[in-house]
Amino acid sequence: MAKSLLKLSDLSKAEVRAFLNKADQLKFEQKNGIKHKILEGKTLAMIFSKASTRTRVSFEVGMYQLGGHALFLSANDLQIGRGEPVEDTARVMFRYVDGIMIRTFKQQEVEDLAEFSGLPVINGLTDYAHPCQALADLMTIREQFAYLEGLNACFMGDGGNNTCNSFIVGCVLSDMNITVGCPKGYEPHPDVLKWAGDKVKISHDPKEAVKNADVVYTDVWASMGQEDQRKIRLEALKDYQVNMDLLKLASPDVIVQHCLPAHRGEELTAEVFDKHAKVIFDEAENRLHIQKAIMAILMG
């Protein structure tokens, strides 16, 4: 089993299934009042260079439910980026805590923490990857359909963001068919496309991309750090909005996913959001359960 979760492409199909199965088990136990103090006496350092709602709350609550302690560290609390090399911070953390979750900008920072700390490191989000979200997405899809293999998924909008990068990898590792509907210039990261090969399709026609999709996924068009490009991005992506007319081309039982926060009227309409709100909020809840599974497996 992998020692850390840095990006999904580091995992095997069996490892992805192990995380999903463990999350299902822990969710069942939590819903039925069965305590699972798997990480009693252990501490998770949570490093945040980016603001967060769901990531912080889900990891902190999850660590508590597992019997451990979560330590919140903002950019203002650490010397990283203010003169201390990442490798020095990593070596100190090794002597204090049992695992690290980091939400930051550069993927290399996550990789360096894992290399130099020797601890289990969990990527809570970088500009390149969002593996915890992708695993929660897969968990939610499997809850809805009872299986993953052979399902048709479509990511619609900005194919170059971290959520799409990781969702592509998750779909490939789960034997799902994945199409990305995006305008030219908004394709997924070249490393992801190289890794996925012919197992991912790119379409610049939103109607073609969504055809027969069982799952349609979208995300914000202007995320953190892109506010100055907001008008340009909204204009470029406007034809890729997930609306009721577009969903008529998908499977009759299509579900819509969104990792939140959602901007109604931009990447999807309010009508679509409201119709699929239960799945979207199940998806948000499943961040808690999948991250508990990740911590239990890597730190237990």
Side-chain angles (χ1 to χ4, degrees):
M1 188 69 196
K3 186 174 183 180
S4 291
L5 179 59
L6 310 180
K7 55 186 184 295
L8 278 193
S9 56
D10 293 334
L11 303 182
S12 67
K13 291 182 179 182
E15 288 171 328
V16 169
R17 284 195 301 272
F19 283 130
L20 296 178
N21 292 341
K22 187 68 171 178
D24 287 344
Q25 175 196 342
L26 293 176
K27 183 174 183 177
F28 174 84
E29 290 176 358
Q30 187 65 35
K31 297 290 186 184
N32 288 275
I34 303 170
K35 297 187 181 300
H36 35 240
K37 304 297 183 181
I38 300 168
L39 298 182
E40 191 166 6
K42 295 195 174 184
T43 300
L44 176 75
M46 303 190 306
I47 300 173
F48 285 89
S49 299
K50 281 188 173 185
S52 166
T53 300
R54 281 156 292 279
T55 299
R56 178 178 178 180
V57 174
S58 55
F59 268 106
E60 200 159 327
V61 170
M63 195 61 179
Y64 172 79
Q65 292 178 357
L66 291 170
H69 174 69
L71 178 65
F72 174 78
L73 299 166
S74 72
N76 295 328
D77 298 318
L78 297 170
Q79 296 298 326
I80 293 178
R82 293 189 292 169
E84 182 171 67
V86 173
E87 52 264 39
D88 289 357
T89 299
R91 288 168 176 145
V92 170
M93 289 289 187
F94 172 75
R95 296 163 185 260
Y96 292 157
V97 302
D98 303 287
I100 300 171
M101 187 285 300
I102 179 168
R103 182 178 171 96
T104 188
F105 295 90
K106 296 180 181 178
Q107 179 70 22
Q108 191 59 49
E109 192 170 344
V110 178
E111 307 276 347
D112 289 345
L113 267 179
E115 179 182 352
F116 292 105
S117 71
L119 292 167
V121 172
I122 302 167
N123 180 352
L125 176 143
T126 64
D127 289 345
Y128 173 70
H130 202 350
C132 294
Q133 181 64 57
L135 288 170
D137 301 332
L138 295 176
M139 180 182 179
T140 308
I141 295 168
R142 195 167 73 163
E143 285 179 341
Q144 294 298 311
F145 293 96
Y147 60 93
L148 295 170
E149 298 81 359
L151 289 174
N152 297 319
C154 171
F155 188 98
M156 188 68 70
D158 180 8
N161 73 13
N162 46 22
T163 300
C164 182
N165 287 334
S166 292
F167 186 63
I168 290 169
V169 177
C171 287
V172 171
L173 289 173
S174 302
D175 294 319
M176 295 172 62
N177 305 307
I178 173 67
T179 299
V180 177
C182 62
K184 292 181 179 179
Y186 289 80
E187 293 87 356
H189 195 284
D191 289 351
V192 173
L193 294 179
K194 182 179 179 181
W195 179 89
D198 61 4
K199 294 181 180 178
V200 58
K201 295 179 181 178
I202 307 299
S203 175
H204 301 303
D205 180 347
K207 293 180 179 179
E208 183 65 31
V210 79
K211 198 171 291 184
N212 300 320
D214 301 298
V215 179
V216 175
Y217 200 139
T218 190
D219 193 9
V220 293
W221 289 346
S223 56
M224 285 181 287
Q226 298 174 328
E227 290 82 1
D228 59 331
Q229 308 168 32
R230 183 174 178 79
K231 287 184 179 179
I232 296 172
R233 294 176 66 83
L234 264 59
E235 178 63 25
L237 291 158
K238 64 182 181 181
D239 292 335
Y240 295 82
Q241 181 189 73
V242 178
N243 53 49
M244 297 304 291
D245 285 340
L246 191 65
L247 289 179
K248 289 176 183 177
L249 301 171
S251 165
D253 299 319
V254 66
I255 64 170
V256 174
Q257 291 193 300
H258 196 302
C259 62
L260 300 177
H263 292 178
R264 297 161 179 81
E266 293 182 7
E267 70 272 9
L268 81 175
T269 62
E271 185 180 8
V272 168
F273 186 94
D274 291 342
K275 182 175 180 179
H276 295 272
K278 184 183 184 305
V279 170
I280 292 170
F281 287 108
D282 283 349
E283 180 186 2
E285 178 190 337
N286 284 339
R287 284 286 301 278
L288 169 67
H289 305 299
I290 199 69
Q291 287 161 188
K292 284 172 66 177
I294 294 164
M295 291 186 288
I297 289 173
L298 298 184
M299 296 174 62

